[in-house]
Amino acid sequence: MTQNPSGEDSLIARYFKPLATDPGAFGLVDDAAIIPADGDDIVVKTDAIVEGVHYLADDPPDTIARKALRVNLSDLAAKGAVPAGFVLTLALREKDDAWLSQFARGLGEDAAAFGCPLLGGDTVSTPGPVMISIAAWGRVPRGRMVHRFGARPGDRVMVTGTIGDAALGLRMLTGTAEATALADDPAARDMLIGRYRTPQPRNALAAAVRDCATASMDVSDGLAGDLTKLCAASSVSADIALSHIPRSPAAAKLLAVGAAQLESMISGGDDYEILCTVPAARCAAFRAAAETAGVAVTDIGAIVEGARAPRFLDGQGRPVTLTRLSFSHF
């Protein structure tokens, strides 16, 4: 008797089986996959992105796929882990071949570029918004994963890249005043939108984080809130110079004309940069490794003793009261 594949099986075979080239994926014909451990610790991370919450319904499908994978890769980088593979759960309202083709193309290109192969997953239908959930695995030498806890008084607080671009990019897409302020600079506008749609995970810096950092996490919900979480986990506090927080030329332009506020930039989320603490004696090595990796790093302050929340200081060293620390789902 001829057996016809289900709609789900056909969807998987058409769009995702071609991406599952790792031997441990078994061509997606089994219910599970294998990742050889090779004596390393396996770091596991999962994140989901939801239509209307983490991306807009009309965002290009390939950028949605890239964001879904990259937000997980960002966490692995902050733990000092090398990507090993991922599984995908995709909840769709309908089977849209044009959307799926672009989605699979973006996902496959990023899986290859970051050395993180697709190993399996699930597809389901939903009456609600589209949801993409990825669980990613990475490898670190045994006992070397970098935790949120571990920061010590005297450590320098370091952050990669620039902060606030993605939050501003979302505002560009939703037509707020910031978009009007960049009407004469479409390249800057496109850069900010690109930072929202396609984060740049700092996996090239994973080894340096592992070798130099005492504590680390990625900035996903906002620099201010995520630093607060790191300090709480480490039972320390921090003093941060607001003027040292790195910003892109586009963000600086918006700040200069009063079309953006620094508080919203450091609490808006979606940066996916690495926030870590580095002992003073290791800062030069960390900077050198970052330069070799082509990743900008900035010293924004210091870890200090105490149980209080981190302080964000203005140019005169005075604490600035923040009304919001980070994005929150609830």
Side-chain angles (χ1 to χ4, degrees):
M1 181 176 66
T2 301
Q3 293 187 349
N4 294 320
S6 69
E8 179 186 359
D9 290 338
S10 297
L11 186 157
I12 292 169
R14 180 173 182 181
Y15 295 105
F16 300 112
K17 185 174 181 178
L19 309 185
T21 57
D22 189 271
F26 305 113
L28 301 187
V29 300
D30 211 324
D31 291 330
I34 288 176
I35 301 176
D38 297 330
D40 292 331
D41 285 339
I42 301 297
V43 179
V44 182
K45 170 62 187 178
T46 185
D47 257 326
I49 64 171
V50 179
E51 178 186 31
V53 179
H54 302 94
Y55 69 92
L56 303 179
D58 59 354
D59 281 348
D62 65 307
T63 67
I64 298 170
R66 295 180 197 278
K67 186 169 191 175
L69 181 57
R70 291 182 184 202
V71 300
N72 286 276
L73 293 173
S74 178
D75 275 299
L76 293 181
K79 301 297 99 182
V82 175
F86 72 98
V87 294
L88 165 73
T89 298
L90 186 59
L92 300 169
R93 282 189 299 274
E94 59 183 346
K95 181 176 175 288
D96 182 332
D97 287 330
W99 191 94
L100 281 164
S101 179
Q102 294 178 59
F103 180 91
R105 175 179 57 81
L107 187 65
E109 289 175 355
D110 264 14
F114 289 100
C116 191
L118 174 65
L119 297 173
D122 192 20
T123 56
V124 297
S125 64
T126 177
V130 173
M131 188 273 292
I132 304 108
S133 179
I134 283 178
W137 285 262
R139 294 188 178 94
V140 294
R142 187 148 300 166
R144 297 286 308 281
M145 188 184 93
V146 185
H147 300 274
R148 285 188 188 184
F149 55 85
R152 299 185 295 262
D155 288 351
R156 303 305 302 176
V157 179
M158 311 288 281
V159 67
T160 62
T162 52
I163 296 299
D165 294 333
L168 292 172
L170 176 58
R171 289 178 171 273
M172 297 290 128
L173 289 167
T174 54
T176 55
E178 288 89 340
T180 303
L182 287 181
D184 63 340
D185 195 346
R189 180 180 182 276
D190 289 347
M191 186 280 293
L192 294 175
I193 291 172
R195 288 277 285 162
Y196 172 71
R197 286 177 168 166
T198 51
Q200 301 298 316
R202 304 304 183 179
N203 296 87
L205 206 57
V209 169
R210 196 168 63 237
D211 291 342
C212 299
T214 54
S216 179
M217 64 184 295
D218 81 330
V219 180
S220 56
D221 293 331
L223 175 66
D226 287 334
L227 176 63
T228 299
K229 295 173 190 175
L230 185 150
C231 287
S234 299
S235 299
V236 294
S237 187
D239 285 337
I240 303 299
L242 285 169
S243 61
H244 291 181
I245 294 174
R247 62 206 70 172
S248 68
K253 181 175 182 178
L254 290 172
L255 286 169
V257 299
Q261 301 299 318
L262 186 57
E263 178 175 343
S264 65
M265 291 170 56
I266 66 174
S267 64
D270 276 323
D271 293 302
Y272 298 104
E273 297 289 354
I274 292 175
L275 169 68
C276 62
T277 57
V278 180
R282 298 295 296 160
C283 285
F286 186 69
R287 290 181 183 279
E291 184 175 0
T292 299
V295 178
V297 296
T298 305
D299 182 331
I300 62 172
I303 295 296
V304 298
E305 293 182 351
R308 62 169 169 78
R311 296 192 306 174
F312 291 84
L313 310 175
D314 65 15
Q316 286 71 50
R318 297 172 301 198
V320 174
T321 300
L322 302 179
T323 59
R324 177 189 177 197
L325 294 179
S326 63
F327 170 82
S328 176
H329 287 279
F330 303 103

